[in-house]
Amino acid sequence: MTTYVWDYLPEYEKEKDDILDAVGKVFASGRLVLGDSVMGFEEEFAAYHGTGRRCTGVDNGTNALKLALEALGVGPGDEVITVSNTAAPTVVAIVSTGATPVFVDVREDDHLIDTDQVEAAVTDRTKVLLPVHLYGQCADTEPLRAIAERHGLKLLEDCAQAHGARHHGRLAGTMGDAAAFSFYPTKVLGAYGDGGAVLTADEDTDRAMRQLRYYGMDQVYYVVRTPGHNSRLDEVQAEILRRKLTRLDAYIAGRNAVARRYEEGLADLTGPGGLRLPTTNPGNTHVYYVYVVRHPERDRIIEALKAHDIALNISYPWPCHTMTGFAHLGYTTGSLPVTEKLAGEIFSLPMYPSLPEAVQDRVITALREVVTAL
C-alpha cells in the first residue's frame, strides 16, 4: 500500500461517530446557512484565542485572506509585502483585491520571512504587511509590528498552517490587526471540505468582514452597504469544526510526537551535505502542519522512495514569483535567491496526528536506506 504525506481515514475511523452526529445535528436543525453552528464555532474559535477576539467564518482560506485585506482597506493601487515561499493562495488573494504583491526573501534556517528585508520594501503605496506562519511555525512578528507602526501599516497574519502555534506565548492569529485561517482538510484544524475564518480584535474590521462575506449586506436582507461576496462558512463544516476544536491541542500533541520520532530516527543523517531537519526558533511552539526536510539531492531521493511505495510532496516546488500567472509582477530568476534555493531542496515527510507508528517507521527506514546510498 502506498504511503502518502497525508491521510484522513485513520482519524475518521476514530472520530466517525462524532463527525456523523455533527452532520445529523445540522440536517435536523432546520437551519442550513449561517445558523447556530456557524455562530457557535465563531464564538468558540475566538474564545480559544483569548478574550476580546472576534471571528468571522468564511467559505475557504483564500477568501479569508482576500476579505481580510479588503476589510483592512486594501484595493487597486495598493501594495502588500509578503513572501514567495508560500502556497499560491496567499498571492492569489492579494492580486484578487487589485493590489500588488511585493516579495521579500526568506531566511534559510527557518524558511520564514526575513524581517531585515521588509522595511526597505515599504513604499508610499504599501498598505499591509502579510507574514506567513509557515509549516506550523510563527514568523517573527515583533519587528514587523514595529515597522507597521512606524509607517502606518496594517499587519495581517496568514495562519493557514499554524492553528495553535505560539510565539513567545502568544497564539498565531493574536499578534496582528487581523488573521486569516484555512480549515482545508489537511490543516492542523481541518474540516471535511473547505472553510476559513478571520480573527480580529477590532470591531470595525469584524463588522466589515461580516458585510463582505454576505454580499456587502448589513443586517437587513437585500440592502447592500458595500459590494461584497458570497463567502459564508457552511453550517455542516462549522459543526464539524466545533467538535474538532475541542481536540485541537491533542492533534498538536500528536503532530509533535510524530516530529520527535522523525528527529530521533533521522538525526544521524544530518550534517554538511546531508539531510536537514526542521528547526524551531527560540520562543516558538511548532505545530508541524507539514514536516519539511532538505537535501541537495532531493529529486533523486523522492524518485528512489517511489520504489518503496512512498509518495512525498514538495512544499513548495515553484515559488510564486516564478509562476507564469504572476509573471506580470516582473520578478526574474535570482530575484529571491534563498527562496529559489529552498525550492530545489525541500520535501515533506508524512505528517498527521493519526499517522501509525509502523507506517512512520517504514518511511524512516526507507529514507535512511536511500540517503545513505547517495
Side-chain angles (χ1 to χ4, degrees):
M1 180 179 294
T2 302
T3 296
Y4 296 101
V5 171
W6 177 77
D7 184 358
Y8 78 94
L9 290 175
E11 180 181 287
Y12 177 63
E13 286 302 312
K14 295 178 183 178
E15 302 181 359
K16 180 189 298 185
D17 291 345
D18 196 32
I19 299 302
L20 295 181
D21 182 71
V23 175
K25 177 180 177 180
V26 172
F27 286 173
S29 71
R31 182 75 179 271
L32 299 177
V33 178
L34 292 184
D36 290 342
S37 292
V38 168
M39 185 182 303
F41 174 71
E42 289 174 339
E43 292 174 352
E44 291 154 14
F45 193 66
Y48 179 89
H49 290 86
T51 58
R53 299 287 156 184
R54 300 165 184 264
C55 173
T56 303
V58 296
D59 53 345
N60 57 64
T62 308
N63 281 338
L65 282 166
K66 177 183 178 181
L67 271 62
L69 288 165
E70 292 180 352
L72 293 172
V74 172
D78 294 329
E79 293 178 348
V80 177
I81 296 175
T82 191
V83 293
S84 179
N85 182 37
T86 183
T90 305
V91 184
V92 168
I94 297 169
V95 172
S96 67
T97 68
T100 299
V102 174
F103 297 121
V104 297
D105 215 342
V106 296
R107 300 183 300 215
E108 189 165 349
D109 55 350
D110 60 15
H111 310 184
L112 297 167
I113 187 169
D114 187 343
T115 56
D116 291 339
Q117 298 187 26
V118 172
E119 193 146 26
V122 175
T123 72
D124 58 4
R125 295 172 57 193
T126 307
K127 200 68 169 283
V128 168
L129 306 182
L130 204 172
V132 178
H133 298 320
L134 194 70
Y135 302 154
Q137 178 169 209
C138 293
D140 292 337
T141 53
E142 294 90 346
L144 297 176
R145 179 84 267 172
I147 293 169
E149 290 174 356
R150 278 197 296 273
H151 295 276
L153 309 176
K154 298 294 185 180
L155 180 61
L156 172 61
E157 301 171 68
D158 184 339
C159 299
Q161 303 184 12
H163 312 72
R166 291 181 181 270
H167 180 63
H168 295 294
R170 297 189 65 177
L171 280 166
T174 66
M175 295 173 281
D177 296 285
F181 291 82
S182 168
F183 303 121
Y184 186 74
T186 61
K187 304 302 184 184
V188 180
L189 179 61
Y192 276 65
D194 275 313
V198 172
L199 202 65
T200 183
D202 182 71
E203 185 175 350
D204 291 337
T205 303
D206 182 68
R207 184 182 302 110
M209 278 298 310
R210 292 180 182 279
Q211 288 182 343
L212 287 166
R213 76 163 176 192
Y214 194 53
Y215 311 112
M217 297 178 186
D218 185 12
Q219 303 297 324
V220 181
Y221 192 45
Y222 288 130
V223 178
V224 173
R225 305 297 184 187
T226 183
H229 312 271
N230 178 5
S231 298
R232 301 167 296 212
L233 178 61
D234 181 77
E235 274 287 289
V236 171
Q237 301 302 339
E239 186 60 34
I240 291 172
L241 287 166
R242 291 182 75 181
R243 311 296 180 91
K244 296 190 70 176
L245 179 59
T246 66
R247 299 187 283 270
L248 176 55
D249 291 343
Y251 297 151
I252 293 170
R255 288 175 178 272
N256 272 269
V258 172
R260 285 193 298 272
R261 288 200 297 274
Y262 278 133
E263 186 172 357
E264 292 167 0
L266 301 171
D268 63 322
L269 298 181
T270 61
L275 197 67
R276 294 183 63 172
L277 304 183
T279 61
T280 300
N281 292 332
N284 275 359
T285 300
H286 209 308
V287 297
Y288 294 101
Y289 164 61
V290 284
Y291 192 87
V292 175
V293 300
R294 291 176 58 189
H295 196 285
E297 298 291 338
R298 184 268 314 280
D299 294 342
R300 288 177 61 191
I301 292 171
I302 289 180
E303 187 62 30
L305 286 172
K306 292 178 182 177
H308 296 266
D309 261 349
I310 297 171
L312 301 184
N313 286 352
I314 303 171
S315 301
Y316 300 93
W318 302 286
C320 293
H321 73 283
T322 68
M323 297 179 182
T324 57
F326 302 124
H328 65 284
L329 298 175
Y331 291 86
T332 58
T333 301
S335 299
L336 302 170
V338 177
T339 295
E340 292 167 26
K341 179 182 180 181
L342 291 174
E345 298 183 356
I346 55 177
F347 59 106
S348 303
L349 304 185
M351 169 56 75
Y352 48 96
S354 55
L355 177 66
E357 289 191 19
V359 174
Q360 186 179 11
D361 290 342
R362 191 165 73 85
V363 172
I364 291 171
T365 299
L367 185 56
R368 291 182 59 84
E369 177 182 323
V370 168
V371 171
T372 55
L374 290 175

